[in-house]
Short mmCIF file of all heavy atoms in Angstrom, two decimals:
data_model
loop_
_atom_site.label_atom_id
_atom_site.label_comp_id
_atom_site.label_asym_id
_atom_site.label_seq_id
_atom_site.Cartn_x
_atom_site.Cartn_y
_atom_site.Cartn_z
N SER A 5 -2.61 -35.15 -9.91
CA SER A 5 -2.47 -34.54 -8.56
C SER A 5 -3.45 -33.33 -8.65
O SER A 5 -3.54 -32.60 -9.57
CB SER A 5 -0.98 -34.05 -8.46
OG SER A 5 -1.06 -33.01 -7.53
N PRO A 9 -0.62 -26.06 -3.00
CA PRO A 9 0.66 -25.84 -2.21
C PRO A 9 0.27 -25.61 -0.85
O PRO A 9 -0.79 -24.98 -0.41
CB PRO A 9 1.18 -24.53 -2.87
CG PRO A 9 0.05 -23.87 -3.62
CD PRO A 9 -0.91 -24.98 -3.91
N ALA A 10 1.22 -25.90 0.14
CA ALA A 10 1.00 -25.87 1.52
C ALA A 10 1.26 -24.31 1.89
O ALA A 10 0.72 -23.80 3.00
CB ALA A 10 2.10 -26.59 2.16
N THR A 11 2.07 -23.59 1.24
CA THR A 11 2.29 -22.27 1.54
C THR A 11 2.02 -21.25 0.30
O THR A 11 2.20 -21.66 -0.82
CB THR A 11 3.76 -21.86 1.93
OG1 THR A 11 4.60 -22.40 0.70
CG2 THR A 11 4.20 -22.66 3.06
N PHE A 17 6.87 -13.30 -4.25
CA PHE A 17 6.59 -12.39 -5.30
C PHE A 17 6.66 -10.86 -4.87
O PHE A 17 7.18 -10.04 -5.56
CB PHE A 17 5.10 -12.60 -5.82
CG PHE A 17 5.01 -13.91 -6.62
CD1 PHE A 17 4.22 -14.80 -6.15
CD2 PHE A 17 5.81 -14.06 -7.77
CE1 PHE A 17 4.05 -16.13 -6.81
CE2 PHE A 17 5.61 -15.23 -8.48
CZ PHE A 17 4.80 -16.36 -7.96
N TYR A 20 10.29 -9.94 -4.48
CA TYR A 20 10.79 -10.07 -5.89
C TYR A 20 10.50 -8.72 -6.63
O TYR A 20 11.26 -8.22 -7.52
CB TYR A 20 10.42 -11.23 -6.60
CG TYR A 20 10.87 -11.30 -8.13
CD1 TYR A 20 12.15 -11.41 -8.37
CD2 TYR A 20 9.97 -11.15 -9.10
CE1 TYR A 20 12.56 -11.52 -9.67
CE2 TYR A 20 10.29 -11.21 -10.51
CZ TYR A 20 11.64 -11.40 -10.74
OH TYR A 20 12.10 -11.43 -12.07
N ARG A 21 9.29 -8.12 -6.37
CA ARG A 21 8.93 -6.95 -7.19
C ARG A 21 9.29 -5.59 -6.42
O ARG A 21 8.80 -4.58 -6.76
CB ARG A 21 7.39 -6.93 -7.31
CG ARG A 21 6.89 -8.07 -8.29
CD ARG A 21 5.38 -8.24 -8.28
NE ARG A 21 5.07 -9.44 -9.00
CZ ARG A 21 4.12 -10.25 -8.63
NH1 ARG A 21 3.40 -10.11 -7.55
NH2 ARG A 21 3.94 -11.37 -9.38
N GLY A 22 10.22 -5.80 -5.44
CA GLY A 22 10.71 -4.58 -4.80
C GLY A 22 11.30 -3.57 -5.72
O GLY A 22 11.28 -2.36 -5.54
N ILE A 23 11.94 -4.09 -6.71
CA ILE A 23 12.54 -3.19 -7.73
C ILE A 23 11.58 -2.16 -8.30
O ILE A 23 12.14 -1.01 -8.70
CB ILE A 23 13.11 -3.98 -8.91
CG1 ILE A 23 13.97 -3.24 -9.88
CG2 ILE A 23 12.06 -4.83 -9.68
CD1 ILE A 23 14.79 -3.98 -10.93
N THR A 26 11.65 0.81 -6.09
CA THR A 26 12.75 1.74 -6.39
C THR A 26 12.61 2.52 -7.62
O THR A 26 12.82 3.74 -7.71
CB THR A 26 13.94 0.84 -6.60
OG1 THR A 26 13.96 -0.16 -5.58
CG2 THR A 26 15.28 1.55 -6.77
N GLU A 92 7.79 16.40 3.62
CA GLU A 92 9.11 16.72 4.32
C GLU A 92 10.36 16.25 3.63
O GLU A 92 11.37 16.99 3.64
CB GLU A 92 9.05 16.12 5.73
CG GLU A 92 10.28 16.52 6.55
CD GLU A 92 10.08 16.32 8.11
OE1 GLU A 92 9.42 15.31 8.43
OE2 GLU A 92 10.60 17.20 8.85
N HIS A 93 10.24 15.14 2.83
CA HIS A 93 11.44 14.44 2.30
C HIS A 93 11.60 14.39 0.82
O HIS A 93 12.64 14.15 0.36
CB HIS A 93 11.62 12.98 2.93
CG HIS A 93 11.62 13.09 4.45
ND1 HIS A 93 12.64 13.66 5.10
CD2 HIS A 93 10.78 12.69 5.42
CE1 HIS A 93 12.49 13.49 6.52
NE2 HIS A 93 11.35 12.82 6.47
N GLU A 99 14.05 21.45 3.67
CA GLU A 99 15.05 21.38 4.66
C GLU A 99 15.47 19.87 4.79
O GLU A 99 16.80 19.73 4.86
CB GLU A 99 14.79 22.03 5.97
CG GLU A 99 15.95 21.91 6.99
CD GLU A 99 15.63 22.64 8.38
OE1 GLU A 99 14.48 23.13 8.45
OE2 GLU A 99 16.52 22.73 9.18
N PHE A 100 14.69 19.07 4.88
CA PHE A 100 14.95 17.65 5.19
C PHE A 100 14.81 16.75 3.92
O PHE A 100 14.45 15.52 3.98
CB PHE A 100 14.19 17.18 6.31
CG PHE A 100 14.62 17.88 7.69
CD1 PHE A 100 13.75 18.70 8.30
CD2 PHE A 100 15.89 17.67 8.15
CE1 PHE A 100 14.13 19.31 9.51
CE2 PHE A 100 16.22 18.21 9.25
CZ PHE A 100 15.40 18.98 9.93
N GLU A 101 14.89 17.31 2.71
CA GLU A 101 14.63 16.38 1.62
C GLU A 101 15.78 15.49 1.29
O GLU A 101 17.01 15.71 1.57
CB GLU A 101 14.38 17.29 0.29
CG GLU A 101 15.41 18.34 -0.04
CD GLU A 101 16.27 18.12 -1.31
OE1 GLU A 101 16.22 16.92 -1.73
OE2 GLU A 101 16.81 19.03 -1.88
N ILE A 102 15.38 14.26 0.73
CA ILE A 102 16.39 13.34 0.33
C ILE A 102 16.32 13.06 -1.18
O ILE A 102 16.54 11.83 -1.67
CB ILE A 102 16.14 11.93 1.16
CG1 ILE A 102 14.87 11.53 1.07
CG2 ILE A 102 16.50 12.23 2.72
CD1 ILE A 102 14.53 10.08 1.65
N TYR A 105 19.41 11.64 -2.81
CA TYR A 105 19.59 10.23 -2.38
C TYR A 105 18.88 9.26 -3.12
O TYR A 105 19.39 8.30 -3.60
CB TYR A 105 19.38 10.23 -0.82
CG TYR A 105 19.86 9.02 -0.20
CD1 TYR A 105 21.03 9.11 0.63
CD2 TYR A 105 19.40 7.74 -0.44
CE1 TYR A 105 21.53 7.89 1.24
CE2 TYR A 105 19.90 6.53 0.27
CZ TYR A 105 21.02 6.74 1.12
OH TYR A 105 21.51 5.58 1.71
N VAL A 106 17.59 9.50 -3.21
CA VAL A 106 16.63 8.51 -3.92
C VAL A 106 16.78 8.74 -5.42
O VAL A 106 16.10 8.01 -6.20
CB VAL A 106 15.20 8.55 -3.51
CG1 VAL A 106 15.06 8.17 -1.97
CG2 VAL A 106 14.66 9.94 -3.80
N LEU A 109 20.16 6.06 -8.23
CA LEU A 109 19.97 4.93 -9.31
C LEU A 109 19.42 5.48 -10.56
O LEU A 109 18.92 4.69 -11.32
CB LEU A 109 19.28 3.75 -8.78
CG LEU A 109 20.00 3.05 -7.69
CD1 LEU A 109 19.06 2.04 -6.99
CD2 LEU A 109 21.29 2.26 -8.24
N GLU A 113 19.81 1.19 -15.62
CA GLU A 113 18.84 0.60 -16.72
C GLU A 113 17.46 0.50 -16.18
O GLU A 113 16.57 0.84 -16.82
CB GLU A 113 19.53 -0.71 -17.02
CG GLU A 113 18.53 -1.36 -18.15
CD GLU A 113 19.09 -2.84 -18.41
OE1 GLU A 113 18.91 -3.74 -17.51
OE2 GLU A 113 19.70 -3.18 -19.37
N ALA A 161 7.91 -19.57 -17.49
CA ALA A 161 8.25 -18.80 -16.30
C ALA A 161 6.94 -18.31 -15.44
O ALA A 161 6.75 -18.40 -14.32
CB ALA A 161 8.98 -17.48 -16.72
N GLY A 164 4.99 -21.04 -13.41
CA GLY A 164 5.30 -21.27 -12.07
C GLY A 164 4.34 -20.71 -11.03
O GLY A 164 4.01 -21.24 -10.05
N LYS A 167 0.86 -22.66 -11.66
CA LYS A 167 0.90 -24.04 -11.08
C LYS A 167 0.41 -23.91 -9.60
O LYS A 167 -0.20 -24.82 -9.14
CB LYS A 167 2.25 -24.61 -11.02
CG LYS A 167 2.67 -25.36 -12.22
CD LYS A 167 4.10 -25.95 -12.05
CE LYS A 167 5.10 -24.97 -11.56
NZ LYS A 167 6.49 -25.50 -11.43
N ASN A 168 0.81 -22.91 -8.90
CA ASN A 168 0.50 -22.65 -7.44
C ASN A 168 -1.00 -22.35 -7.28
O ASN A 168 -1.79 -22.85 -6.47
CB ASN A 168 1.35 -21.66 -6.80
CG ASN A 168 2.67 -22.11 -6.36
OD1 ASN A 168 2.86 -22.74 -5.28
ND2 ASN A 168 3.75 -22.09 -7.28
N SER B 5 19.99 26.53 12.74
CA SER B 5 18.84 25.73 13.03
C SER B 5 19.29 24.47 13.72
O SER B 5 20.20 23.75 13.32
CB SER B 5 18.01 25.39 11.75
OG SER B 5 17.37 24.17 11.93
N PRO B 9 13.83 16.56 12.01
CA PRO B 9 12.61 16.41 11.11
C PRO B 9 11.47 15.84 11.90
O PRO B 9 11.54 15.11 12.79
CB PRO B 9 13.10 15.29 10.21
CG PRO B 9 14.35 14.61 10.75
CD PRO B 9 14.88 15.72 11.68
N ALA B 10 10.23 16.24 11.36
CA ALA B 10 9.06 15.86 12.08
C ALA B 10 8.69 14.25 11.72
O ALA B 10 8.16 13.56 12.56
CB ALA B 10 7.87 16.64 11.60
N THR B 11 9.21 13.88 10.64
CA THR B 11 8.92 12.45 10.25
C THR B 11 10.37 11.68 10.02
O THR B 11 11.28 12.35 9.47
CB THR B 11 8.08 12.32 9.08
OG1 THR B 11 8.80 13.08 8.06
CG2 THR B 11 6.74 12.90 9.29
N PHE B 17 13.46 5.22 2.48
CA PHE B 17 14.61 4.42 2.23
C PHE B 17 14.34 3.00 1.97
O PHE B 17 14.95 2.27 1.10
CB PHE B 17 15.79 4.61 3.35
CG PHE B 17 16.25 6.18 3.50
CD1 PHE B 17 16.08 6.81 4.52
CD2 PHE B 17 16.94 6.57 2.44
CE1 PHE B 17 16.63 8.11 4.64
CE2 PHE B 17 17.58 7.78 2.42
CZ PHE B 17 17.32 8.68 3.47
N TYR B 20 12.80 2.40 -1.29
CA TYR B 20 13.74 2.74 -2.33
C TYR B 20 14.86 1.62 -2.59
O TYR B 20 15.38 1.39 -3.61
CB TYR B 20 14.51 4.06 -1.99
CG TYR B 20 15.62 4.38 -2.90
CD1 TYR B 20 15.35 4.79 -4.23
CD2 TYR B 20 16.99 4.38 -2.43
CE1 TYR B 20 16.49 5.13 -5.05
CE2 TYR B 20 17.97 4.72 -3.33
CZ TYR B 20 17.74 5.05 -4.60
OH TYR B 20 18.82 5.34 -5.48
N ARG B 21 15.00 0.91 -1.45
CA ARG B 21 16.01 -0.19 -1.48
C ARG B 21 15.43 -1.61 -1.88
O ARG B 21 15.96 -2.61 -1.84
CB ARG B 21 16.69 -0.29 -0.17
CG ARG B 21 17.53 0.86 0.06
CD ARG B 21 18.37 0.93 1.48
NE ARG B 21 18.90 2.05 1.65
CZ ARG B 21 18.89 2.74 2.79
NH1 ARG B 21 18.23 2.13 3.89
NH2 ARG B 21 19.49 3.92 2.95
N GLY B 22 14.07 -1.40 -2.25
CA GLY B 22 13.45 -2.76 -2.75
C GLY B 22 14.09 -3.59 -3.80
O GLY B 22 14.08 -4.68 -3.88
N ILE B 23 14.84 -2.74 -4.74
CA ILE B 23 15.56 -3.33 -5.78
C ILE B 23 16.61 -4.31 -5.31
O ILE B 23 16.80 -5.39 -6.00
CB ILE B 23 16.38 -2.25 -6.63
CG1 ILE B 23 16.91 -2.90 -7.90
CG2 ILE B 23 17.42 -1.53 -5.69
CD1 ILE B 23 17.56 -1.85 -8.89
N THR B 26 14.88 -7.80 -4.90
CA THR B 26 14.72 -8.36 -6.27
C THR B 26 16.15 -8.97 -6.76
O THR B 26 16.21 -10.13 -7.11
CB THR B 26 14.45 -7.30 -7.23
OG1 THR B 26 13.32 -6.49 -6.77
CG2 THR B 26 14.11 -7.86 -8.62
N GLU B 92 9.41 -25.01 -0.61
CA GLU B 92 8.20 -25.34 -1.53
C GLU B 92 8.37 -24.51 -2.85
O GLU B 92 8.00 -25.24 -3.86
CB GLU B 92 6.86 -24.99 -0.87
CG GLU B 92 5.68 -25.36 -1.72
CD GLU B 92 4.39 -25.53 -1.02
OE1 GLU B 92 4.22 -24.71 -0.08
OE2 GLU B 92 3.58 -26.40 -1.30
N HIS B 93 8.90 -23.33 -2.88
CA HIS B 93 8.87 -22.57 -3.99
C HIS B 93 10.21 -22.11 -4.74
O HIS B 93 10.12 -21.72 -5.85
CB HIS B 93 8.10 -21.25 -3.78
CG HIS B 93 6.70 -21.53 -3.25
ND1 HIS B 93 5.80 -22.06 -3.95
CD2 HIS B 93 6.15 -21.30 -2.02
CE1 HIS B 93 4.58 -22.11 -3.29
NE2 HIS B 93 4.83 -21.69 -2.07
N GLU B 99 7.51 -29.35 -7.04
CA GLU B 99 6.14 -29.32 -7.76
C GLU B 99 5.64 -27.80 -7.77
O GLU B 99 5.08 -27.48 -8.83
CB GLU B 99 5.11 -30.15 -6.89
CG GLU B 99 3.72 -30.07 -7.60
CD GLU B 99 2.77 -31.11 -7.05
OE1 GLU B 99 3.13 -31.71 -6.00
OE2 GLU B 99 1.58 -31.14 -7.51
N PHE B 100 5.83 -27.06 -6.82
CA PHE B 100 5.25 -25.61 -6.74
C PHE B 100 6.34 -24.55 -6.87
O PHE B 100 6.21 -23.53 -6.33
CB PHE B 100 4.37 -25.50 -5.52
CG PHE B 100 3.17 -26.37 -5.55
CD1 PHE B 100 3.00 -27.34 -4.67
CD2 PHE B 100 2.18 -26.10 -6.47
CE1 PHE B 100 1.90 -28.13 -4.65
CE2 PHE B 100 1.05 -26.87 -6.45
CZ PHE B 100 0.86 -27.95 -5.63
N GLU B 101 7.38 -24.89 -7.53
CA GLU B 101 8.57 -23.92 -7.57
C GLU B 101 8.28 -22.86 -8.55
O GLU B 101 7.61 -22.98 -9.52
CB GLU B 101 9.91 -24.61 -7.91
CG GLU B 101 9.82 -25.45 -9.30
CD GLU B 101 10.72 -24.86 -10.36
OE1 GLU B 101 10.86 -23.54 -10.34
OE2 GLU B 101 11.08 -25.61 -11.21
N ILE B 102 8.89 -21.63 -8.35
CA ILE B 102 8.61 -20.43 -9.03
C ILE B 102 10.13 -19.89 -9.48
O ILE B 102 10.21 -18.73 -9.73
CB ILE B 102 7.81 -19.36 -8.33
CG1 ILE B 102 8.44 -19.10 -7.08
CG2 ILE B 102 6.33 -19.76 -8.19
CD1 ILE B 102 7.75 -17.79 -6.32
N TYR B 105 10.16 -17.93 -12.70
CA TYR B 105 9.41 -16.68 -12.50
C TYR B 105 10.33 -15.63 -11.99
O TYR B 105 10.38 -14.52 -12.38
CB TYR B 105 8.21 -16.92 -11.65
CG TYR B 105 7.23 -15.71 -11.66
CD1 TYR B 105 6.02 -15.90 -12.51
CD2 TYR B 105 7.38 -14.43 -11.11
CE1 TYR B 105 5.12 -14.75 -12.53
CE2 TYR B 105 6.61 -13.41 -11.13
CZ TYR B 105 5.41 -13.52 -11.93
OH TYR B 105 4.49 -12.62 -11.96
N VAL B 106 10.97 -16.09 -10.73
CA VAL B 106 11.96 -15.05 -10.10
C VAL B 106 13.28 -14.97 -10.91
O VAL B 106 14.17 -14.19 -10.31
CB VAL B 106 12.12 -15.31 -8.60
CG1 VAL B 106 10.70 -15.20 -7.97
CG2 VAL B 106 12.71 -16.56 -8.35
N LEU B 109 14.17 -11.51 -14.42
CA LEU B 109 15.01 -10.24 -14.47
C LEU B 109 16.54 -10.64 -14.38
O LEU B 109 17.30 -9.70 -14.20
CB LEU B 109 14.71 -9.32 -13.42
CG LEU B 109 13.22 -8.69 -13.52
CD1 LEU B 109 12.96 -7.89 -12.30
CD2 LEU B 109 13.26 -7.60 -14.83
N GLU B 113 20.51 -5.52 -16.00
CA GLU B 113 21.71 -4.85 -15.45
C GLU B 113 21.86 -4.94 -13.96
O GLU B 113 22.82 -5.27 -13.43
CB GLU B 113 21.80 -3.43 -15.92
CG GLU B 113 22.99 -2.59 -15.37
CD GLU B 113 22.82 -1.17 -15.71
OE1 GLU B 113 21.93 -0.55 -14.87
OE2 GLU B 113 23.39 -0.61 -16.61
N ALA B 161 24.40 13.76 -2.25
CA ALA B 161 23.27 12.74 -2.23
C ALA B 161 23.15 12.24 -0.87
O ALA B 161 22.11 12.07 -0.31
CB ALA B 161 23.63 11.73 -3.35
N GLY B 164 21.66 14.22 2.04
CA GLY B 164 20.20 14.21 2.31
C GLY B 164 19.90 13.33 3.52
O GLY B 164 18.93 13.74 4.34
N LYS B 167 21.40 15.03 6.88
CA LYS B 167 20.80 16.20 7.19
C LYS B 167 19.73 15.85 8.22
O LYS B 167 19.39 16.56 9.18
CB LYS B 167 20.06 17.08 6.09
CG LYS B 167 21.03 17.89 5.43
CD LYS B 167 20.28 18.67 4.35
CE LYS B 167 19.50 17.70 3.50
NZ LYS B 167 18.77 18.37 2.27
N ASN B 168 18.96 14.75 7.84
CA ASN B 168 17.90 14.29 8.80
C ASN B 168 18.32 13.73 10.09
O ASN B 168 17.77 13.80 11.16
CB ASN B 168 17.00 13.18 8.01
CG ASN B 168 16.02 13.74 6.97
OD1 ASN B 168 14.96 14.14 7.39
ND2 ASN B 168 16.51 13.88 5.73
#
Side-chain angles (χ1 to χ4, degrees):
Chain A
S5 159
T11 57
F17 291 116
Y20 175 68
R21 292 175 189 137
I23 189 171
T26 310
E92 186 164 35
H93 301 295
E99 182 173 5
F100 293 113
E101 55 112 335
I102 55 171
Y105 195 105
V106 298
L109 291 170
E113 180 190 73
K167 274 186 307 186
N168 281 274
Chain B
S5 157
T11 58
F17 291 116
Y20 175 69
R21 292 176 189 137
I23 189 170
T26 310
E92 186 162 35
H93 301 296
E99 182 173 6
F100 293 112
E101 56 111 333
I102 55 171
Y105 195 104
V106 299
L109 291 171
E113 180 190 71
K167 275 186 307 184
N168 281 274

